[in-house]
Amino acid sequence: MTKKTFENLPEEKQRRVLDEATVEFAEHGYHQASVNRIVDRLGIAKGSLFKYFGNKQGLFEHIFSSAVTGFKKPLKAIRDTPDLDFFERMEQSFLAGTRFVDEHPNLYHIYLKMLFNENFPLRERFLGEIRGAHAKYLRQLIEGGIRSGQLPASLDVDMAVFTVHAVMDRFIQGYAVPSLDNGLAPAASLPDRARALAAFLRHGLADIPSQE
């Protein structure tokens, strides 16, 4: 009922509430986030926010759910685009992740806080949901690559999902926090780095990449 009450608000008001709450969680984390500061910036009664979401956790869960939905949408479009091979889909997936950071910096900042703070409430549940959704997407791409003959039939799918997830997650982290890649990342434009990483996945360490 609380969620339905919020969804009955005008779209612009919904957006303002979620934007202000997202800024608060991004700047202060979960424990130090203040509902009072949120409602003061919005100019609404504290009771209204509780009416919409029940409590602070309900508000955070709504933001988190919206973030996961927003992250999955462009990946589904990549998955469903015809005439792309597995490695082209991976290249586009890398860039889709960086676009999400550009479009939703505060949401990604919350993710980083959750990732590196063991005391973040419901951390295992939230990270599990994010990684589960990402693993499902990558498994679909990898299994499609096997069916099309672009990947070997003998490939360990679970290990491939783990490896590609780690590569993509770290690629996006390095884009969001450039200091993580000091001395590591090649001096190249973002599209070139995504293309080079997809080529590295294609050829691996033991193969000599083609001069494309």
Side-chain angles (χ1 to χ4, degrees), residues 166-187:
V167 170
M168 184 172 173
D169 195 36
R170 185 58 181 77
F171 180 83
I172 299 171
Q173 285 180 36
Y175 176 75
V177 187
S179 59
L180 291 176
D181 283 346
N182 282 347
L184 292 174

mmCIF file of all heavy atoms in Angstrom, residues 166-187:
data_model
loop_
_atom_site.group_PDB
_atom_site.id
_atom_site.type_symbol
_atom_site.label_atom_id
_atom_site.label_comp_id
_atom_site.label_asym_id
_atom_site.label_seq_id
_atom_site.Cartn_x
_atom_site.Cartn_y
_atom_site.Cartn_z
ATOM 1 N N ALA A 166 33.838 -10.236 -13.302
ATOM 2 C CA ALA A 166 34.925 -9.548 -12.611
ATOM 3 C C ALA A 166 35.556 -8.493 -13.514
ATOM 4 O O ALA A 166 35.855 -7.374 -13.067
ATOM 5 C CB ALA A 166 35.978 -10.561 -12.157
ATOM 6 N N VAL A 167 35.759 -8.821 -14.772
ATOM 7 C CA VAL A 167 36.364 -7.884 -15.717
ATOM 8 C C VAL A 167 35.460 -6.670 -15.924
ATOM 9 O O VAL A 167 35.918 -5.513 -15.877
ATOM 10 C CB VAL A 167 36.638 -8.582 -17.065
ATOM 11 C CG1 VAL A 167 37.030 -7.565 -18.137
ATOM 12 C CG2 VAL A 167 37.738 -9.623 -16.912
ATOM 13 N N MET A 168 34.176 -6.904 -16.132
ATOM 14 C CA MET A 168 33.256 -5.797 -16.390
ATOM 15 C C MET A 168 33.094 -4.912 -15.165
ATOM 16 O O MET A 168 33.107 -3.672 -15.262
ATOM 17 C CB MET A 168 31.898 -6.342 -16.839
ATOM 18 C CG MET A 168 30.906 -5.258 -17.226
ATOM 19 S SD MET A 168 29.408 -5.948 -17.973
ATOM 20 C CE MET A 168 28.401 -4.468 -18.109
ATOM 21 N N ASP A 169 32.940 -5.535 -13.988
ATOM 22 C CA ASP A 169 32.763 -4.761 -12.753
ATOM 23 C C ASP A 169 33.986 -3.881 -12.509
ATOM 24 O O ASP A 169 33.868 -2.696 -12.175
ATOM 25 C CB ASP A 169 32.539 -5.711 -11.587
ATOM 26 C CG ASP A 169 31.996 -5.003 -10.356
ATOM 27 O OD1 ASP A 169 31.198 -4.061 -10.499
ATOM 28 O OD2 ASP A 169 32.361 -5.410 -9.230
ATOM 29 N N ARG A 170 35.166 -4.441 -12.716
ATOM 30 C CA ARG A 170 36.395 -3.671 -12.485
ATOM 31 C C ARG A 170 36.583 -2.586 -13.536
ATOM 32 O O ARG A 170 37.094 -1.493 -13.235
ATOM 33 C CB ARG A 170 37.586 -4.629 -12.489
ATOM 34 C CG ARG A 170 38.906 -3.969 -12.130
ATOM 35 C CD ARG A 170 38.847 -3.308 -10.749
ATOM 36 N NE ARG A 170 40.121 -2.664 -10.454
ATOM 37 C CZ ARG A 170 40.496 -1.497 -10.984
ATOM 38 N NH1 ARG A 170 39.671 -0.844 -11.800
ATOM 39 N NH2 ARG A 170 41.674 -0.980 -10.689
ATOM 40 N N PHE A 171 36.166 -2.845 -14.775
ATOM 41 C CA PHE A 171 36.242 -1.831 -15.829
ATOM 42 C C PHE A 171 35.395 -0.617 -15.446
ATOM 43 O O PHE A 171 35.838 0.536 -15.576
ATOM 44 C CB PHE A 171 35.751 -2.432 -17.143
ATOM 45 C CG PHE A 171 35.793 -1.475 -18.313
ATOM 46 C CD1 PHE A 171 36.962 -1.278 -19.027
ATOM 47 C CD2 PHE A 171 34.644 -0.795 -18.704
ATOM 48 C CE1 PHE A 171 36.992 -0.403 -20.112
ATOM 49 C CE2 PHE A 171 34.666 0.079 -19.780
ATOM 50 C CZ PHE A 171 35.846 0.277 -20.489
ATOM 51 N N ILE A 172 34.190 -0.861 -14.952
ATOM 52 C CA ILE A 172 33.299 0.236 -14.586
ATOM 53 C C ILE A 172 33.824 0.964 -13.350
ATOM 54 O O ILE A 172 33.777 2.198 -13.277
ATOM 55 C CB ILE A 172 31.868 -0.291 -14.356
ATOM 56 C CG1 ILE A 172 31.322 -0.917 -15.642
ATOM 57 C CG2 ILE A 172 30.947 0.846 -13.906
ATOM 58 C CD1 ILE A 172 30.010 -1.662 -15.449
ATOM 59 N N GLN A 173 34.331 0.210 -12.373
ATOM 60 C CA GLN A 173 34.898 0.849 -11.186
ATOM 61 C C GLN A 173 36.046 1.783 -11.567
ATOM 62 O O GLN A 173 36.162 2.898 -11.048
ATOM 63 C CB GLN A 173 35.411 -0.208 -10.213
ATOM 64 C CG GLN A 173 34.340 -0.947 -9.437
ATOM 65 C CD GLN A 173 34.947 -1.960 -8.502
ATOM 66 O OE1 GLN A 173 36.005 -1.749 -7.915
ATOM 67 N NE2 GLN A 173 34.286 -3.098 -8.357
ATOM 68 N N GLY A 174 36.921 1.318 -12.454
ATOM 69 C CA GLY A 174 38.048 2.134 -12.873
ATOM 70 C C GLY A 174 37.611 3.403 -13.588
ATOM 71 O O GLY A 174 38.253 4.444 -13.471
ATOM 72 N N TYR A 175 36.499 3.306 -14.322
ATOM 73 C CA TYR A 175 35.971 4.502 -14.987
ATOM 74 C C TYR A 175 35.418 5.480 -13.953
ATOM 75 O O TYR A 175 35.649 6.684 -14.051
ATOM 76 C CB TYR A 175 34.878 4.101 -15.972
ATOM 77 C CG TYR A 175 34.210 5.286 -16.627
ATOM 78 C CD1 TYR A 175 34.864 6.012 -17.623
ATOM 79 C CD2 TYR A 175 32.936 5.697 -16.236
ATOM 80 C CE1 TYR A 175 34.269 7.116 -18.211
ATOM 81 C CE2 TYR A 175 32.325 6.792 -16.828
ATOM 82 C CZ TYR A 175 33.005 7.501 -17.810
ATOM 83 O OH TYR A 175 32.403 8.599 -18.389
ATOM 84 N N ALA A 176 34.683 4.950 -12.965
ATOM 85 C CA ALA A 176 34.056 5.807 -11.955
ATOM 86 C C ALA A 176 35.070 6.406 -10.995
ATOM 87 O O ALA A 176 34.910 7.538 -10.525
ATOM 88 C CB ALA A 176 33.008 5.011 -11.181
ATOM 89 N N VAL A 177 36.127 5.651 -10.697
ATOM 90 C CA VAL A 177 37.164 6.103 -9.755
ATOM 91 C C VAL A 177 38.519 5.962 -10.469
ATOM 92 O O VAL A 177 39.213 4.955 -10.307
ATOM 93 C CB VAL A 177 37.152 5.270 -8.458
ATOM 94 C CG1 VAL A 177 38.107 5.869 -7.426
ATOM 95 C CG2 VAL A 177 35.747 5.155 -7.894
ATOM 96 N N PRO A 178 38.903 6.943 -11.273
ATOM 97 C CA PRO A 178 40.107 6.807 -12.110
ATOM 98 C C PRO A 178 41.370 6.486 -11.329
ATOM 99 O O PRO A 178 42.280 5.848 -11.873
ATOM 100 C CB PRO A 178 40.195 8.181 -12.795
ATOM 101 C CG PRO A 178 38.791 8.692 -12.812
ATOM 102 C CD PRO A 178 38.178 8.192 -11.540
ATOM 103 N N SER A 179 41.448 6.910 -10.065
ATOM 104 C CA SER A 179 42.663 6.643 -9.290
ATOM 105 C C SER A 179 42.911 5.151 -9.105
ATOM 106 O O SER A 179 44.045 4.732 -8.863
ATOM 107 C CB SER A 179 42.584 7.324 -7.914
ATOM 108 O OG SER A 179 41.460 6.854 -7.182
ATOM 109 N N LEU A 180 41.867 4.335 -9.221
ATOM 110 C CA LEU A 180 42.042 2.894 -9.105
ATOM 111 C C LEU A 180 42.927 2.343 -10.219
ATOM 112 O O LEU A 180 43.558 1.297 -10.051
ATOM 113 C CB LEU A 180 40.684 2.177 -9.146
ATOM 114 C CG LEU A 180 39.746 2.366 -7.962
ATOM 115 C CD1 LEU A 180 38.417 1.668 -8.226
ATOM 116 C CD2 LEU A 180 40.375 1.810 -6.686
ATOM 117 N N ASP A 181 42.940 3.028 -11.347
ATOM 118 C CA ASP A 181 43.660 2.526 -12.519
ATOM 119 C C ASP A 181 44.983 3.234 -12.772
ATOM 120 O O ASP A 181 45.610 3.014 -13.802
ATOM 121 C CB ASP A 181 42.780 2.644 -13.766
ATOM 122 C CG ASP A 181 41.724 1.559 -13.836
ATOM 123 O OD1 ASP A 181 41.849 0.592 -13.068
ATOM 124 O OD2 ASP A 181 40.794 1.681 -14.644
ATOM 125 N N ASN A 182 45.407 4.093 -11.848
ATOM 126 C CA ASN A 182 46.684 4.782 -12.042
ATOM 127 C C ASN A 182 47.803 3.775 -12.218
ATOM 128 O O ASN A 182 48.025 2.907 -11.381
ATOM 129 C CB ASN A 182 46.992 5.684 -10.843
ATOM 130 C CG ASN A 182 46.204 6.983 -10.877
ATOM 131 O OD1 ASN A 182 45.612 7.328 -11.898
ATOM 132 N ND2 ASN A 182 46.184 7.707 -9.771
ATOM 133 N N GLY A 183 48.501 3.900 -13.342
ATOM 134 C CA GLY A 183 49.602 2.996 -13.624
ATOM 135 C C GLY A 183 49.180 1.663 -14.215
ATOM 136 O O GLY A 183 50.024 0.833 -14.531
ATOM 137 N N LEU A 184 47.872 1.447 -14.382
ATOM 138 C CA LEU A 184 47.378 0.178 -14.911
ATOM 139 C C LEU A 184 46.703 0.326 -16.265
ATOM 140 O O LEU A 184 46.948 -0.446 -17.181
ATOM 141 C CB LEU A 184 46.384 -0.449 -13.919
ATOM 142 C CG LEU A 184 46.938 -0.939 -12.581
ATOM 143 C CD1 LEU A 184 45.791 -1.386 -11.679
ATOM 144 C CD2 LEU A 184 47.908 -2.094 -12.795
ATOM 145 N N ALA A 185 45.816 1.298 -16.366
ATOM 146 C CA ALA A 185 45.006 1.424 -17.579
ATOM 147 C C ALA A 185 45.827 1.992 -18.729
ATOM 148 O O ALA A 185 46.653 2.893 -18.531
ATOM 149 C CB ALA A 185 43.801 2.323 -17.320
ATOM 150 N N PRO A 186 45.624 1.476 -19.936
ATOM 151 C CA PRO A 186 46.323 2.036 -21.100
ATOM 152 C C PRO A 186 45.824 3.439 -21.405
ATOM 153 O O PRO A 186 44.673 3.781 -21.120
ATOM 154 C CB PRO A 186 45.943 1.063 -22.229
ATOM 155 C CG PRO A 186 44.656 0.440 -21.788
ATOM 156 C CD PRO A 186 44.732 0.354 -20.295
ATOM 157 N N ALA A 187 46.696 4.249 -21.951
ATOM 158 C CA ALA A 187 46.325 5.617 -22.308
ATOM 159 C C ALA A 187 45.551 5.581 -23.615
ATOM 160 O O ALA A 187 46.123 5.631 -24.694
ATOM 161 C CB ALA A 187 47.576 6.482 -22.434
#
